[in-house]
């Protein structure tokens, strides 16, 4: 079981969506979890995880972590070449049952090359930026590359993004 999670914010409110699927190449999810929060922390530069982590933990509360093989987040595990922890690393540390976390980002950071793999999908000339904890980076990149869809952004992650942003937070 693989879980992909995304969060959409509107001031102090958030909509959190998780899609569960079985294999990296799956084009369809098996479960959708949707939650809302009203107590979102203010955005703090360099500490985005403080805002997003409680939302992700809400989704994880509905799942048996021992059944999860991977968690995919929209963002980074490490933020720079010094391994400054990003959302993915903070999530991994917060888990009582360790599940590998794979970060998938659409934009790069200037000083972030050491712990990042670029994945080109379809005919896109722009890569996705993959980071990982609890899994070999090259293996994580290969798994994201195998995801269903012919475009840069995998089908399930695009669908997740659409669900998260659809219907305003309230």
């Amino acid at each position: 079981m693989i879980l992909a999670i995304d969060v959409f914010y509107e001031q102090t409110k958030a909509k959190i969506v998780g899609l569960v699927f079985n294999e990296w190449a799956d084009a369809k999810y098996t479960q959708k979890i949707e939650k809302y929060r009203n107590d979102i922390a203010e955005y703090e530069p360099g500490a985005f995880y403080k805002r997003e982590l409680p939302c992700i933990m809400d989704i994880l509360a509905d799942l048996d972590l021992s059944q999860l093989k991977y968690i995919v987040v929209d963002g980074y595990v490490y933020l720079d070449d010094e391994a400054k922890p990003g959302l993915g690393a903070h999530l991994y540390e917060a888990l009582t049952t360790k599940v590998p976390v794979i970060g998938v980002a659409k934009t790069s950071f200037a000083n972030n090359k050491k712990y990042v793999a670029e994945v080109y999908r379809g005919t896109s000339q722009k890569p996705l930026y993959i980071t990982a904890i609890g899994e070999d980076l090259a293996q994580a990149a290969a798994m994201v590359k195998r995801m269903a869809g012919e475009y840069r952004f995998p089908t399930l992650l695009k669908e997740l993004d659409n669900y998260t942003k659809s219907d305003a937070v309230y």
Side-chain angles (χ1 to χ4, degrees):
M1 198 165 69
I2 302 163
L3 172 68
I5 303 175
D6 197 11
V7 182
F8 178 74
Y9 301 98
E10 243 177 50
Q11 293 145 8
T12 61
K13 299 176 184 175
K15 179 179 181 183
I16 313 109
V17 180
L19 296 183
V20 176
F21 52 104
N22 294 315
E23 301 296 331
W24 287 102
D26 288 354
K28 302 278 185 199
Y29 60 88
T30 59
Q31 181 182 3
K32 179 172 86 166
I33 305 165
E34 191 172 295
K35 296 205 171 186
Y36 298 88
R37 282 187 73 111
N38 288 314
D39 57 346
I40 301 305
E42 291 286 325
Y43 172 72
E44 185 180 328
F48 179 68
Y49 73 93
K50 290 180 181 179
R51 187 172 215 216
E52 189 134 338
L53 189 58
C55 297
I56 291 173
M57 298 308 281
D58 280 355
I59 293 287
L60 292 174
D62 285 359
L63 297 169
D64 178 357
L65 294 183
S66 71
Q67 299 301 307
L68 278 178
K69 294 181 200 170
Y70 297 98
I71 300 171
V72 179
V73 296
D74 178 10
Y76 282 89
V77 170
Y78 299 112
L79 300 176
D80 61 21
D81 289 342
E82 304 301 316
K84 179 180 179 182
L87 173 63
H90 286 285
L91 171 59
Y92 186 79
E93 291 306 317
L95 298 173
T96 54
T97 301
K98 296 302 181 201
V99 178
V101 176
I102 298 173
V104 179
K106 293 178 231 153
T107 57
S108 70
F109 287 150
N111 188 24
N112 196 1
K113 305 290 182 229
K114 188 174 177 182
Y115 299 103
V116 176
E118 293 182 359
V119 169
Y120 291 86
R121 292 177 35 89
T123 59
S124 179
Q125 299 300 306
K126 292 179 71 175
L128 291 173
Y129 301 93
I130 311 304
T131 52
I133 187 168
E135 177 60 79
D136 175 74
L137 180 57
Q139 179 66 23
M143 291 183 291
V144 171
K145 189 167 182 76
R146 280 198 318 265
M147 290 183 79
E150 57 187 83
Y151 300 107
R152 176 181 179 231
F153 211 49
T155 300
L156 284 176
L157 298 185
K158 180 65 176 166
E159 196 168 353
L160 174 62
D161 186 61
N162 290 340
Y163 281 137
T164 308
K165 291 177 181 168
S166 69
D167 304 327
V169 174
Y170 287 96

